[in-house]
Amino acid sequence: MIPMRRFTNHLSRVLLPLAAAAGLAATPKPNIVLIYTDDVGYGDVGCYGATRVKTPNIDKLAAGGLRFTNAHSPSATCTPSRYALLTGEYAWRRKGTGVLPGDAKLIIAPGRETIPSLLRRAGYATGCVGKWHLGLGEGHPDWNGEIKPGPLEIGFDYAFIMPATGDRVPCVFVENHRVAGLDPADPIQVSYGKQIGGEPTGREHPELLKVKPSHGHDNTIVNGISRIGFMSGGKSARWVDEDIADTLTRKAVTFIEQHRDRPFFLYFATHDIHVPRAPHARFAGSSGCGIRGDVIQQLDWCVGEIVATLDRLKLTDDTLLVFTSDNGPVVDDGYRDGAVENLNGHKPGGPLRGGKYSAFDAGTRVPFIVRPPGHVEPGVSDALISQVDFLASFAALTGQKLAEDAGPDSFNVLPGLLGESKTGRDHLVEHAGILSLIKGRWKYIEPGKGPKVLANVHIESRIAPEPQLYDLNEDVGEKRNVAAEHPEIVKELAGLLEKLRDHPRSRP
Ligand code: NG6
Ligand code: CA
């Protein structure tokens, strides 16, 4: 481990006199760019050990910043991770925070503290570009009218979003309160129940598909790909999957350009590398590791564009840049796209076991790179950190006080994030249906009922009827359950997990 020294007082030196002159609170307000990728696993990028897939831009970011080896998404799937990230509350405390359909209602109550609401109050311009998947409106929104509440009602000034996922209808972007590019003469209808509209489905017309589903994903066909859910209309507004990365990156870059003169927060939630994987022609076949490798390389290009924009606008020294993922990797997530057959030795989870959906560590231990503002001694950090900690940490960064009832599970780990400290939180709850607890070297997985292997994705769930204990220092691949050898540690961790579950907050 390379020793780290915290960044210089560059920001303070630059910003404090300005702030004082303007009569503002004397707190530096670096821009914050959070690149939140989808389903990128611990072993999917070069700086975490990938050798076949090439990610030069992400690797460069790590080489000039801090690469975390023990940082986690709050859950092993998307919706609960995003809920926890934005609110600072573990999603398992709330019903209805599982993977949502594309017409679900907004699950973050307007008015509650979120990262964007906090930063907006601190004077930031707040933008959300990319995957949302937290519901919109009161449920079953009218896609032809004003769609709210949504990102704008929970703290974002600007939003350009995919409502749910690439594989769920409606396959259109929503800009602020409206579907972008919609022709009112061709209204959109959406259903997650009965089929609506007369458009062909994958189930009835497999001959129309450019990629066949392996599980589900056989409803309305959009752009030659059948989705989850039915939609009709909105033809002029439909996205072209091969262009999504370009479209979102352009919107993210524009947001940065437009707000270059004031502190801004950009939440850039990429569609890559979620299914359906449909790389642009520039990246198709580029990786030698199949289509999944190709979309990783496409993602790397997106990261490079963001970094280049910050450099071009001379914002690099004044920006905290984070790159991470919402959950671990999956290879077959419902389409026969050749990802499994063409892995070519690439290991999406690196040395970790499991993957997306799994209580094994590959479910939530994800790539996590921070490039702090100012100058930092680059390094690798083993600090234990959860994305649920961003709220309290960004509050500390910008000199905001969190209200008592805000961010109940969010710890201020700012010194760890900035490389000033080698430690983060003391313990962390992982969520994959059942809960696990990491404390120090130990990981406890609570007993649960369910399949040991998730048949549709070929991933070990690690759900077992007996308690499990792993020594992550000795056995990061969680191969040897040592619960029987350390009953006192099992008891301690099971007790702590119960306490955390019973108390509505864990924030110190
Ligand atoms: C699953 C989908 C999967 C993916 C996932 C959500 C099937 C068979 N599987 O239900 O393809 O969409 O939900 O992924 O439909 S996440 O990253 O948004 O959590
Ligand atoms: Ca995901």
Side-chain angles (χ1 to χ4, degrees), residues 96 99-107 134-141 143 192:
V99 173
L100 295 175
D103 63 351
K105 74 172 212 241
L106 177 66
I107 57 168
L134 291 161
L136 289 167
E138 306 298 336
H140 313 292
W143 299 98
Y192 276 77

Side-chain angles (χ1 to χ4, degrees), residues 109-354:
R112 86 172 284 177
E113 191 78 293
T114 62
I115 294 175
S117 73
L118 175 106
L119 294 176
R120 179 147 81 180
R121 243 191 357 268
Y124 281 64
T126 55
C128 169
V129 173
K131 177 176 178 178
W132 182 240
H133 212 186
L134 291 161
L136 289 167
E138 306 298 336
H140 313 292
D142 174 5
W143 299 98
N144 309 294
E146 277 218 310
I147 303 160
K148 63 182 203 182
L152 266 46
E153 285 65 39
I154 67 143
F156 287 107
D157 299 326
Y158 173 74
F160 185 89
I161 58 169
M162 306 170 69
T165 59
D167 55 348
R168 285 173 174 76
V169 299
C171 301
V172 295
F173 298 112
V174 174
E175 187 159 32
N176 297 326
H177 289 141
R178 294 200 173 261
V179 169
L182 179 66
D183 173 1
D186 181 27
I188 295 175
Q189 279 191 297
V190 167
S191 165
Y192 276 77
K194 285 209 177 85
Q195 181 170 0
I196 43 148
E199 299 197 24
T201 63
R203 193 177 310 165
E204 289 156 4
H205 291 283
E207 76 285 359
L208 298 177
L209 298 174
K210 53 186 180 192
V211 55
K212 303 229 180 339
S214 57
H215 304 280
H217 298 103
D218 59 359
N219 300 154
T220 303
I221 300 172
V222 175
N223 187 32
I225 302 170
S226 49
R227 318 277 166 161
I228 306 174
F230 302 96
M231 79 175 285
S232 66
K235 291 257 160 64
S236 63
R238 294 184 184 190
W239 64 53
V240 174
D241 298 78
E242 290 79 357
D243 295 337
I244 290 176
D246 283 354
T247 303
L248 296 181
T249 303
R250 202 172 54 241
K251 292 286 177 186
V253 166
T254 302
F255 180 84
I256 295 173
E257 287 171 347
Q258 286 174 345
H259 300 93
R260 58 190 292 181
D261 292 330
R262 56 181 286 200
F264 61 82
F265 167 57
L266 171 64
Y267 172 72
F268 178 29
T270 68
H271 158 66
D272 286 323
I273 59 167
H274 199 278
V275 295
R277 304 173 184 120
H280 188 274
R282 304 198 303 285
F283 301 101
S286 68
S287 71
C289 298
I291 200 161
R292 191 172 176 282
D294 299 346
V295 292
I296 293 175
Q297 297 197 169
Q298 175 167 277
L299 171 69
D300 185 69
W301 171 83
C302 300
V303 172
E305 290 298 294
I306 300 296
V307 168
T309 303
L310 295 172
D311 284 348
R312 171 166 56 86
L313 300 176
K314 305 205 174 0
L315 296 171
T316 298
D317 279 349
D318 298 337
T319 302
L320 173 79
L321 179 56
V322 181
F323 169 91
T324 188
S325 175
D326 70 336
N327 53 251
V330 56
V331 182
D332 176 349
D333 206 13
Y335 291 98
R336 290 187 210 286
D337 59 6
V340 176
E341 298 80 350
N342 295 307
L343 267 180
N344 196 14
H346 174 72
K347 288 200 175 62
L352 308 178
R353 198 164 178 181

